[in-house]
């Protein structure tokens, strides 16, 4: 690995993002879940249009640019119901900034939150960082049956990532409907993080219609940042019910006046390109990378894919008896960067001890090379 | 004013940013301190280069893109000393995100902060929002003499905006040196927000050399977002002493992995253009707009400019006996948007009751039209 003088993390990173940071300057970065594949020809044309989009953004009222962007993005993903929600779409620099605003809002009215387990560790870290007590909600439990109303009543909010990162599991419509009804009944805020939904058609049903109908107090964090290789130009949208009862708009206005109209215009164009065939092409691309990984590890003793049906841009690999951190370390020596999974299991890290997460939104050659290196390491070549 | 369906604020905004939000879709928006003048020919050429900068950013290691950007920006503004500070530059989406990270870090080690008064209200709002108790530090007091060591010892941090927003007052080198020495002596973190320094040559002396020499625990928030009309594409840098003793890097990594390399590359190019004459041209441009405003209000009874020597991109106007909110409201009826100043005076709002802030980083025609409208309103035409 290239030594970086700005590396702010110790040898053993404190969180998953610091693991990802180590990988940033490597060609074989399979660590973070950001999109780093090559642009498609259609997307290259959009990048070539940036100077024209700049000129257009300067001339247009901000609210028009903003409306056009969230309409194009959300309707691409089947979220037609959001349109009825006047005044409830707050644009943020990223989904994590939206998360920070949500966390700071929640802590003004509550001291605890029921949080999906496992999930990406910056979510529990932000929530506990503002002072909320975290109560784990096991993913299997969430999918099995209704939650305990007493538990729901004991917290201010239940937070679900769907599709989940890293498992890819989607909350289906009937479970969302039941959970929303329970939240309405117990007056608990229902918060969804749908950052990875672009990859997963099973999550393209209209969440907003179901949430609205339930009457519960809901918040959704949408993210344009995982889907397209837009060099970190992205938006996180913090969308909420009129009755949510949280100071989201006030805290949002403490942190920003607005996001870039150029980024909004660019996202609109990427969404239009996706609607015209780009999204299906992206799904095929990720599926091919997933096949490369799964086939490349076929026959390696102890290897398993615990969520083989996932369609998101990350894949979990059980690496057998060896600690994942040891495998991560051996891969790092070959300049291949992945994520060991202990910290996804924020309440019981031991559950992730033999698991790696690999990013699939990468050039196919990087996936092939990373897979080959992982096979070698696991076979002890 | 165009009615906006997404307007999240009540008739009487809760904070200055919500006042600014009201103005966003107006052609005569003199409210926010963001740069909204036209691009210069040199800057238009940089925007035309964006597709090429994108291609270059994809190929370059992130740390190189990042280093080149902060080097170009900070050295343009005389901040050569920052270079010796390996590992202490954290890139954020904006200065307010840097502020949020600083606030969240401070509250882990302290419960109170000594904060400049007046200053832009999102600073006190973010600091109190995370639970810090605010102790006002009057600007006149700061410039007069050393602070009371007992007061410094009673807080975890002293926070100074320099040049200040809205007054434009700069902490001169001798005062910075004395304050840093006091902070070293009392083990108080010294935090500076220098977001407006690009406009003010008096603040281009090397702050980092002085801070480093003092041995105090310091933090500086730098902002590329006020200077150039880059459509909100910007970076806030959170820079700190190696001995700062705050979990800045950990909280930063909870919120982001990194900012856009395209934005960083673009900022480098804007800084290069500024170094080649663009900055001097910008200073002349702001000075001309300031003259338009001051001359346009000449002879209006009761009008005064309390900080006529300010060179930042905002100007304060004392409007005489009428409440500024009434003048603001009359201007709004003419589609001219400004900022009433009560909320800058976060500890004693009454001090800002007869004062408006007008933005100067606007096309000259907007300044002329806004000035004319203000003259009419004040003369009761």
């Amino acid at each position: 690995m290239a030594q970086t003088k700005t590396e702010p993390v110790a040898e053993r990173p404190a969180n998953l993002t610091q693991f990802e940071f180590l990988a940033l300057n490597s060609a074989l970065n399979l660590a973070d879940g950001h999109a780093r594949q090559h642009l498609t020809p259609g997307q290259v044309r959009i990048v070539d249009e940036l100077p024209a989009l700049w000129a257009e953004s300067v001339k247009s009222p901000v609210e028009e640019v903003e409306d056009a962007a969230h309409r194009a993005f959300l309707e691409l993903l089947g979220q037609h119901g959001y349109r009825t929600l006047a005044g409830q779409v707050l644009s943020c620099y990223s989904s994590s900034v939206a998360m920070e605003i949500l966390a700071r809002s929640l802590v003004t009215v509550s001291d605890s939150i029921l949080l999906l387990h496992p999930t990406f560790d910056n979510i529990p870290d932000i929530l506990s960082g503002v002072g909320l007590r975290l109560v784990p909600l096991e993913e299997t439990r969430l999918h099995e049956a209704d939650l305990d109303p007493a538990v729901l009543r004991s917290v201010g909010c239940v937070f679900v990532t769907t599709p989940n990162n890293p498992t890819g599991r989607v909350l289906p419509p009937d479970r969302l409907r039941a959970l929303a009804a329970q939240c309405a009944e117990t007056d608990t805020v229902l918060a969804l993080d749908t950052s990875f939904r672009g990859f997963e058609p099973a999550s393209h049903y209209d969440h907003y219609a179901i949430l609205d109908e339930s009457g519960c107090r809901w918040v959704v964090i949408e993210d344009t940042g995982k889907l397209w290789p837009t060099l970190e130009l992205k938006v996180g949208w913090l969308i909420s019910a009129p009755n949510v009862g949280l100071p989201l708009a006030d805290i949002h206005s403490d942190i920003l006046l607005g996001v870039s109209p150029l980024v909004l215009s660019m996202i609109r164009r990427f969404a239009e390109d996706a609607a015209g065939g780009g999204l299906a092409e992206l799904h095929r691309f990720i599926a091919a990378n997933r096949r490369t990984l799964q086939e490349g590890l076929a026959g390696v003793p102890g290897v398993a894919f615990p969520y083989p049906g996932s369609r998101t841009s990350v894949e979990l690999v059980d690496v057998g008896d060896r600690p994942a951190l040891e495998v991560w370390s051996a891969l790092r020596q070959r300049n291949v960067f992945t994520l060991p999974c202990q910290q996804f299991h924020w309440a019981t890290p031991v559950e992730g001890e033999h698991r790696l997460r690999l990013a699939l939104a990468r050039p196919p050659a990087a996936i092939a090379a990373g897979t080959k290196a992982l096979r070698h390491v696991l076979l002890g070549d």
Side-chain angles (χ1 to χ4, degrees), chain A:
Chain A
M1 189 192 88
Q3 281 306 310
T4 68
K5 81 173 171 54
T6 52
E7 193 171 293
V9 292
E11 186 59 18
R12 175 69 188 278
N15 61 35
L16 292 167
T17 304
Q18 293 185 358
F19 272 104
E20 293 174 354
F21 187 87
L22 290 176
L24 273 188
N25 293 300
S26 165
L28 287 174
N29 163 14
L30 306 182
D32 64 65
H34 301 218
R36 298 185 188 280
Q37 68 272 30
H38 298 309
L39 293 165
T40 65
Q43 292 169 344
V44 169
R45 282 193 293 275
I46 299 171
V47 170
D48 287 340
E49 281 171 33
L50 282 178
L53 285 175
W54 184 300
E56 189 186 307
S57 305
V58 168
K59 280 186 220 136
S60 312
V62 175
E63 65 161 336
E64 277 177 27
V65 174
E66 189 125 16
D67 282 356
H70 48 70
R71 191 179 323 118
F73 185 77
L74 290 173
E75 301 205 353
L76 169 70
L77 306 179
Q79 305 306 306
H80 308 290
Y82 98 97
R83 273 178 300 182
T84 58
L85 312 167
Q88 304 296 328
V89 183
L90 299 171
S91 297
C92 308
Y93 299 123
S94 68
S95 59
S96 296
V97 170
M99 186 68 217
E100 173 79 9
I101 293 167
L102 171 60
R104 285 253 267 101
S105 300
L106 282 169
V107 81
T108 65
V109 298
S110 173
D111 63 359
S112 62
I113 184 163
L114 184 63
L115 172 63
L116 188 61
H117 184 260
T119 204
F120 197 81
D121 71 346
N122 86 323
I123 296 175
D125 286 349
I126 287 175
L127 291 167
S128 63
V130 303
L132 288 162
R133 183 174 57 85
L134 309 181
V135 181
L137 168 59
E138 291 301 331
E139 187 167 55
T140 45
R141 181 70 190 76
L142 170 69
H143 286 269
E144 256 165 31
D146 280 359
L147 304 184
D148 180 349
V151 172
L152 281 175
R153 279 202 186 86
S154 74
V155 295
C157 175
V158 52
F159 190 103
V160 173
T161 312
T162 174
N164 195 14
N165 174 12
T167 67
R169 288 195 72 173
V170 172
L171 196 66
D174 60 324
R175 290 298 312 132
L176 177 62
R177 193 172 290 110
L179 181 59
Q182 284 205 290
C183 286
E185 177 65 27
T186 57
D187 196 28
T188 313
V189 172
L190 173 55
L192 303 179
D193 174 350
T194 61
S195 293
F196 280 87
R197 80 151 105 222
F199 296 104
E200 179 47 278
S203 70
H204 293 184
Y205 69 86
D206 192 342
H207 291 48
Y208 294 93
I210 293 177
L211 291 168
D212 242 7
E213 203 182 274
S214 77
C216 80
R217 298 159 58 206
W218 56 262
V219 182
V220 180
I221 293 175
E222 303 275 359
D223 182 9
T224 75
K226 304 294 189 288
L227 215 43
W228 304 304
T230 51
L231 284 179
E232 310 287 329
L233 298 175
K234 58 191 172 186
V235 173
W237 279 300
L238 183 59
I239 311 181
S240 59
N243 67 341
V244 71
L246 297 173
L248 298 169
D250 284 350
I251 293 176
H252 178 269
S253 70
D254 285 345
I255 296 184
L256 72 162
L257 177 60
V259 302
S260 171
L262 183 69
V263 174
L264 290 164
S265 297
M266 188 199 71
I267 285 165
R268 171 181 58 78
R269 293 288 297 113
F270 270 77
E272 287 164 358
D273 176 79
L279 191 63
E281 188 183 340
L282 177 61
H283 291 168
R284 288 191 295 271
F285 175 86
I286 296 292
N289 279 349
R290 177 168 270 115
R291 255 194 323 276
T292 299
L293 176 66
Q294 293 182 348
E295 291 174 6
L297 296 179
V300 178
V303 162
F305 298 95
Y307 301 93
S310 167
R311 296 188 59 174
T312 65
S313 60
V314 296
E315 181 75 356
L316 289 177
V317 182
D318 282 338
V319 296
D321 292 338
R322 286 167 72 184
L325 205 59
E326 190 186 303
V327 178
W328 172 81
S329 191
L331 282 169
R332 183 182 170 177
Q333 278 163 23
R334 293 167 181 249
N335 283 320
V336 176
F337 288 80
T338 61
L339 274 194
C341 289
Q342 281 170 285
Q343 281 144 315
F344 286 103
H345 298 262
W346 52 270
T348 45
V350 64
E351 290 173 14
E353 249 180 0
H354 298 276
R355 200 167 269 186
L356 287 179
R357 192 194 78 170
L358 276 76
L360 299 176
R362 295 294 188 275
I367 301 294
T371 302
K372 197 173 159 193
L374 179 53
R375 186 180 177 90
H376 279 299
V377 164
L378 291 174
L379 290 173
D381 291 4

